[in-house]
Amino acid sequence: MNTAELKKIAEGGSGSTINAYNISTVHNLNPAATTVHNYNFKPVRPLFITKIINRLSDPSFSQVTPKDIDYKLYKIDKKEDHNKLKRWKDDIKRYAPFKKYVEGIYKEFDSLGQNKRESVYQWLHREYERLHDTWEADQLFDELKNFVSNKVSEDLTLFDGICFEEMENNVCIVLVDAFIECRIFEKP
C-alpha cells in the first residue's frame, strides 16, 4: 500500500478503515539511504457534535435570521448571575438567538430516530462536571469551549472548508444552547 492510498484511507475516501495507530513506510532498501516515513492515524470515531458544527457551517445558515429569545422564559439573566458569569454574558446574548436554529437541527436528527440531542447534552455535561473540579465561572466556560473546539477540530468528519474561527463560533452557539437548557452550569 503506498502513501497516497494510506492518506486516502485516513481521509475516509476508500471505504476501508485503519485500526492501527502507526503506519511506517520504508523507501529504498539501501541501508545507508533508507528513508522511513511514519504516519499516525487515529481510528475514526466521529462526534455527533461535529455534525451539528458542520450543519451550522452550511451556506444556508448564513441566510438564517436569528430569532429573538425570551430571556425571562429561560431565566438567562438568573443563570448568568448564579454561575457568576461576567465575560460570557455578551457571548450568551450574541449566540442565544440561534437557539431555535440549533433546536431545529436536533429535531431533524431526532426525527430520524437518532436521539442525538440527549447524547450531545450528556457528553457536554460530563465534560462540564470534569472541568468544574478545577475551574469556575467564565474560566470554566472558556475551558469547556476550548475542550470541545479541540475535540471537534481533531474529528476527521469536520468539513475541510471550515476555518478555525467559524468552527469555534459554531461551538459557542452549541454551548450557549446547552447553557440555556441548563445542561451545563448550575440552575439558579
Side-chain angles (χ1 to χ4, degrees):
M1 190 173 290
N2 67 33
T3 305
E5 291 171 319
L6 290 173
K7 282 182 121 176
K8 187 175 181 182
I9 291 170
E11 293 168 356
S14 72
S16 301
T17 58
I18 295 178
N19 293 323
Y21 289 93
N22 277 309
I23 298 171
S24 297
T25 58
V26 179
H27 300 281
N28 194 343
L29 296 179
N30 177 351
T34 301
T35 304
V36 177
H37 298 283
N38 289 312
Y39 301 94
N40 294 316
F41 295 103
K42 295 179 188 175
V44 177
R45 294 267 182 243
L47 296 167
F48 188 77
I49 196 168
T50 305
K51 289 183 179 185
I52 297 166
I53 301 306
N54 286 338
R55 185 62 64 88
L56 289 169
S57 295
D58 188 287
S60 64
F61 179 66
S62 64
Q63 319 256 318
V64 171
T65 304
K67 306 282 187 221
D68 288 334
I69 187 163
D70 186 348
Y71 270 68
K72 289 180 184 178
L73 174 68
Y74 290 104
K75 301 177 185 170
I76 294 172
D77 292 332
K78 287 183 181 181
K79 289 175 192 173
E80 291 169 337
D81 293 340
H82 179 77
N83 290 286
K84 300 176 183 140
L85 296 175
K86 293 180 182 146
R87 278 186 297 105
W88 269 89
K89 282 186 175 188
D90 288 338
D91 288 327
I92 291 168
K93 280 190 174 103
R94 182 179 311 116
Y95 298 118
F98 293 101
K99 181 183 181 1
K100 292 286 184 189
Y101 188 73
V102 173
E103 194 172 297
I105 293 170
Y106 282 131
K107 282 182 182 178
E108 181 182 325
F109 285 114
D110 288 348
S111 71
L112 300 172
Q114 296 182 352
N115 196 17
K116 300 298 183 186
R117 176 194 322 236
E118 195 59 34
S119 297
V120 170
Y121 283 154
Q122 287 176 8
W123 181 71
L124 290 173
H125 184 77
R126 279 192 305 274
E127 292 309 319
Y128 159 80
E129 289 289 327
R130 183 182 63 79
L131 292 168
H132 192 264
D133 291 342
T134 308
W135 308 102
E136 59 183 45
D138 289 308
Q139 188 64 36
L140 176 57
F141 220 126
D142 291 339
E143 293 299 321
L144 187 59
K145 179 193 71 158
N146 292 339
F147 173 80
V148 173
S149 294
N150 288 335
K151 286 293 191 182
V152 169
S153 67
E154 292 172 355
D155 189 341
L156 295 176
T157 63
L158 181 66
F159 290 158
D160 286 337
I162 299 175
C163 63
F164 183 81
E165 297 87 354
E166 181 181 5
M167 183 224 34
E168 193 172 73
N169 187 54
N170 293 345
V171 165
C172 289
I173 291 171
V174 173
L175 288 177
V176 167
D177 170 70
F179 173 79
I180 292 169
E181 291 293 328
C182 294
R183 298 309 188 104
I184 56 173
F185 288 86
E186 296 174 7
K187 291 181 184 180

